[in-house]
Amino acid sequence: MTDVDFRQTSYPASGPQTTNLADILERVLDKGIVIAGDIKIELLDIELLTIRIRLFVASVDTAKKAGIDWWETDPALSSRASRSALQDENRALRERLEALESKTKGESPERRPK
């Protein structure tokens, strides 16, 4: 009699592995994903309108590693940047005011515009 070996020598084929939304989101935030596009409207070689669309989906740490940190300097998104922008604007306005005042001090009172 012969012995018959019923053991499988190869592993059964596995089906597609399922991943849940949390796994996908974790991968995207860890690696990052970029979607970019431009829309230009021209008439007779004159550019009338350009819309630039840039979408970068990543975690803050991944974005900083990629050198992207614009939200820290955008006054619309950062209170610190907003204060800095206001301080710069106030400084520029004060300089202009001082220049105008020093200019009008040299004029005689009857020549000053009213």
Side-chain angles (χ1 to χ4, degrees), residues 26-95:
E26 183 180 343
R27 286 183 199 163
V28 166
L29 292 177
D30 184 44
K31 301 293 182 185
I33 185 170
V34 176
I35 300 169
D38 293 335
I39 300 170
K40 288 186 180 184
I41 298 175
E42 295 181 354
L43 180 64
L44 301 173
D45 292 332
I46 299 171
E47 189 174 311
L48 300 175
L49 177 67
T50 299
I51 299 173
R52 301 187 124 201
I53 300 168
R54 304 289 183 261
L55 176 64
F56 180 61
V57 179
S59 67
V60 171
D61 293 334
T62 303
K64 284 185 177 182
K65 287 177 189 174
I68 300 171
D69 61 355
W70 50 264
W71 61 87
E72 293 179 350
T73 57
D74 189 341
L77 300 173
S78 169
S79 60
R80 184 172 20 128
S82 179
R83 282 192 303 270
S84 177
L86 283 174
Q87 289 171 349
D88 292 343
E89 184 180 4
N90 282 342
R91 187 175 17 261
L93 288 172
R94 287 177 194 276
E95 289 172 0

Side-chain angles (χ1 to χ4, degrees), residues 5-32:
D5 189 4
F6 290 104
R7 290 180 288 174
Q8 292 181 347
T9 56
S10 63
Y11 296 103
S14 62
Q17 292 193 358
T18 59
T19 56
N20 60 19
L21 183 60
D23 292 337
I24 294 170
L25 186 60
E26 183 180 343
R27 286 183 199 163
V28 166
L29 292 177
D30 184 44
K31 301 293 182 185

